[in-house]
Amino acid sequence: MVRLIGVGIVSGACLVHQFTSLPALGPLLASTAFLTLCAVLLSLLQAHQASRRAERWLFADAISCLLWAILALMLSICWTIYLAEGRLADELAPIHENVVTRLTFRVTSMRQEREQSQTFQAEVLDPVPPGIPRHLQIVWQDTPNQMMLDSDHSQESVDRKTRRTQVLPGQVWRAALVLRRPHGASNPFGFDYEGLMFQRNIRALGKVRGQPKLLSDDGYVSFSIAVDRLRQHIRAAMLDTLQDARFGPVMVALAIGDQNGVSQEDWEVFNKTGITHLVSISGSHVTMFGALGGLVALFVFKRLSFRGKACCETIPARTIAALCAMVVAFLYCLLAGWGVPARRTFLMLAVTAIAVVFKFPFSANHVLLTAAALVTVLDPWAPLSTGFWLSFLAVGILIHVASQPIPQELKASRVRLFLHGLKEATRLQWIITLAMLPILAYLFQQVSLSSPLANAIAIPVMSFIVTPLALMTALLSLIPLLSPVSGWLAWLGHQALVWMMYPIDWLA
């Protein structure tokens, strides 16, 4: 039943995205309430039969599973329509388009640096003028001799080298903006820019006119803003440590998930060799650090004692390890920007940890579908992302292929066990490549023939050398006294990346 409910939740969100206009929510809610009543009554009848030890009616079990699956589908449809109606109502009125409007807004995201501008997301503060959406994406063009009007914040917020005002998450500005609705190309097979903006809940684009005024600065007004502010400080510290390193933006992308600094030439090489998934913070990175945190917690907790009694006799060490793995994975996902791959992996780890702690009989398929359902509930627009389907499909293939037990004779020898693990990793790489080949060809109209060999080179280097060193550089670069250590770690990780790129460039 868990699998059917998960499929129903994901299918409901996908079904709404196919509508050209949203249906009325009232009749759907009434139908959902009726289905809920039927499903509850049938479940109570089955429980009554079980208490009387009566013979179970298999047809009733099938009807009950089907009812709960349809109920999950209807609830997902209603939830997605409710959120979509809120976004559609928050739109820019035509009277305000391409007109200068003075607004007070709070910066809600990291700024993205461009050659002559910076872009960031913002939320319009109350009172919101009628016809003005609350959620904006703002472009601030550089101007000659750009200076702050508010002298109290000039030293803190202006870059002395470029004279560019450095916008930070949590700052409140008063500015004149020229607003327009997001528009994409009409080509039916082109990139859906308008759909992407709607998916990100960006309902209007604004361009700064004149000189904005900084009203206040509160970097801790919300949890998400505090996290983005920390990520922006980490990015600045890492770029200062890396200086003008050739692959410095790649290391920043591996540490905090910010890919905007990676050059187009590098993206072409990554796409041709099929290692794009390694440049972003993927599920494998989250799983690796979560597992590392769990193993460290398991090692430490097994050796802790209190008043002569081992702690693991009171609380199972596996429980502590599972909880620590979940906490480490959550912190890493926050640092990565909480994208769809990070969310998917964290929720899979969270479901697994809960199953371990409470000893639920969850199979791998249950974990996969439960995570997919939770991702869809948190963000009904996540299934619109191609990465959503590719990541879950790849994990599903790996689960089914890698479920074979290790032969007993191999456990006696560490060398034979290592060779067996290397052989299995190679086999899994080939299987996942061949299995994803037709899907990638259909979605992107291209296939990387060098992907298996490139991934065999890049996966161990990126996962076990470059990514850990990039993360340590990010953390240590925030501490001024440890700047020599962070510089040395940055150099070491960058050199490993440089040497890895020689065969990757040749394969491209």
Side-chain angles (χ1 to χ4, degrees):
M1 184 182 292
V2 174
R3 285 176 283 194
L4 287 175
I5 291 175
V7 171
I9 291 174
V10 177
S11 301
C14 294
L15 185 61
V16 174
H17 297 319
Q18 307 307 315
F19 297 155
T20 55
S21 61
L22 294 178
L25 193 56
L28 288 174
L29 288 174
S31 303
T32 304
F34 176 73
L35 282 173
T36 304
L37 181 62
C38 294
V40 170
L41 289 177
L42 188 56
S43 298
L44 291 175
L45 178 62
Q46 289 177 305
H48 179 66
Q49 283 184 331
S51 65
R52 295 179 56 187
R53 298 183 180 178
E55 183 178 352
R56 294 182 65 87
W57 192 20
L58 296 180
F59 183 71
D61 292 345
I63 293 295
S64 177
C65 290
L66 183 61
L67 271 177
W68 283 107
I70 296 175
L71 179 60
L73 176 75
M74 294 298 294
L75 286 173
S76 179
I77 289 174
C78 294
W79 174 244
T80 306
I81 289 176
Y82 171 74
L83 294 179
E85 285 181 344
R87 291 194 181 186
L88 288 173
D90 186 33
E91 66 176 351
L92 179 67
I95 192 174
H96 294 296
E97 191 158 11
N98 293 320
V99 176
V100 177
T101 307
R102 296 197 67 84
L103 296 173
T104 302
F105 58 85
R106 175 179 282 115
V107 182
T108 58
S109 72
M110 292 174 58
R111 67 176 183 273
Q112 303 301 331
E113 303 282 355
R114 301 290 186 269
E115 186 176 350
Q116 295 181 350
S117 65
Q118 52 185 329
T119 304
F120 53 89
Q121 295 180 25
E123 178 184 10
V124 180
L125 299 182
D126 293 326
V128 182
I132 299 294
R134 183 175 289 273
H135 301 283
L136 309 175
Q137 178 173 288
I138 297 176
V139 178
W140 189 338
Q141 298 281 350
D142 292 344
T143 56
N145 300 321
Q146 193 174 38
M147 293 295 293
M148 297 288 299
L149 294 182
D150 192 332
S151 59
D152 293 338
H153 299 277
S154 59
Q155 297 299 323
E156 180 181 343
S157 300
V158 177
D159 189 337
R160 296 181 180 180
K161 295 181 180 178
T162 63
R163 313 309 299 178
R164 171 183 292 180
T165 304
Q166 300 299 292
V167 177
L168 298 174
Q171 290 180 340
V172 176
W173 294 84
R174 178 76 176 170
L177 302 175
V178 177
L179 302 176
R180 65 179 180 87
R181 286 173 289 182
H183 292 290
S186 298
N187 187 345
F189 299 102
F191 178 69
D192 187 6
Y193 177 75
E194 188 174 347
L196 177 65
M197 293 293 103
F198 188 79
Q199 180 181 349
R200 294 179 178 177
N201 197 21
I202 297 173
R203 304 299 292 133
L205 307 177
K207 184 173 289 187
V208 174
R209 287 287 182 268
Q211 179 61 52
K213 182 176 181 180
L214 182 62
L215 302 180
S216 63
D217 186 2
D218 186 0
Y220 304 97
V221 67
S222 69
F223 181 71
S224 61
I225 286 178
V227 170
D228 272 347
R229 186 148 182 155
L230 175 63
R231 293 177 66 223
Q232 186 158 312
H233 284 312
I234 291 175
R235 182 180 65 181
M238 283 193 71
L239 292 176
D240 186 57
T241 301
L242 290 163
Q243 298 296 330
D244 296 325
R246 169 67 179 83
F247 295 107
V250 177
M251 295 192 66
V252 173
L254 290 171
I256 62 172
D258 179 30
Q259 303 175 352
N260 289 275
V262 182
S263 65
Q264 187 61 36
E265 293 78 10
D266 290 338
W267 281 124
E268 291 180 2
V269 173
F270 299 149
N271 289 329
K272 287 180 179 179
T273 53
I275 64 169
T276 308
H277 63 101
L278 297 174
V279 179
S280 60
I281 297 181
S282 61
S284 60
H285 296 150
V286 178
T287 305
M288 179 182 68
F289 283 107
L292 182 61
L295 288 174
V296 171
L298 185 67
F299 177 81
V300 173
F301 195 72
K302 280 185 174 181
R303 288 156 178 79
L304 284 180
S305 60
F306 182 72
R307 294 182 178 178
K309 184 180 180 181
C311 293
C312 57
E313 295 180 9
T314 305
I315 304 176
R318 288 181 60 190
T319 300
I320 298 298
L323 293 176
C324 288
M326 191 169 63
V327 170
V328 171
F330 177 69
L331 294 176
Y332 188 48
C333 289
L334 286 181
L335 188 64
W338 199 242
V340 173
R343 265 177 286 172
R344 181 259 305 168
T345 308
F346 169 73
L347 290 173
M348 287 182 64
L349 291 175
V351 172
T352 304
I354 292 172
V356 169
V357 171
F358 295 100
K359 299 181 180 179
F360 291 149
F362 261 35
S363 65
N365 289 331
H366 287 124
V367 172
L368 196 65
L369 286 171
T370 303
L374 290 175
V375 170
T376 305
V377 170
L378 293 175
D379 181 12
W381 286 268
L384 293 176
S385 170
T386 306
F388 175 89
W389 300 100
L390 291 178
S391 59
F392 277 106
L393 182 61
V395 173
I397 294 172
L398 290 176
I399 286 174
H400 283 89
V401 174
S403 58
Q404 300 178 359
I406 300 175
Q408 291 293 331
E409 61 271 12
L410 295 178
K411 295 182 179 180
S413 173
R414 292 185 178 180
V415 176
R416 296 179 64 184
L417 186 63
F418 172 77
L419 294 177
H420 175 75
L422 187 62
K423 177 183 175 182
E424 284 297 303
T426 305
R427 185 176 71 92
L428 289 176
Q429 177 62 38
W430 277 103
I431 289 176
I432 196 68
T433 300
L434 295 176
M436 301 291 287
L437 195 66
I439 302 164
L440 293 173
Y442 172 75
L443 291 174
F444 303 109
Q445 293 81 49
Q446 61 181 3
V447 172
S448 173
L449 297 179
S450 61
S451 176
L453 185 55
N455 276 277
I457 297 171
I459 286 176
V461 176
M462 296 288 276
S463 299
F464 301 113
I465 300 177
V466 180
T467 302
L469 289 174
L471 191 59
M472 286 190 287
T473 301
L475 298 178
L476 296 180
S477 60
L478 295 175
I479 306 174
L481 294 177
L482 297 179
S483 57
V485 180
S486 64
W488 182 78
L489 292 175
W491 177 86
L492 194 62
H494 187 264
Q495 286 300 114
L497 193 54
V498 168
W499 283 100
M500 185 203 76
M501 288 303 296
Y502 285 123
I504 298 298
D505 284 330
W506 182 83
L507 287 171

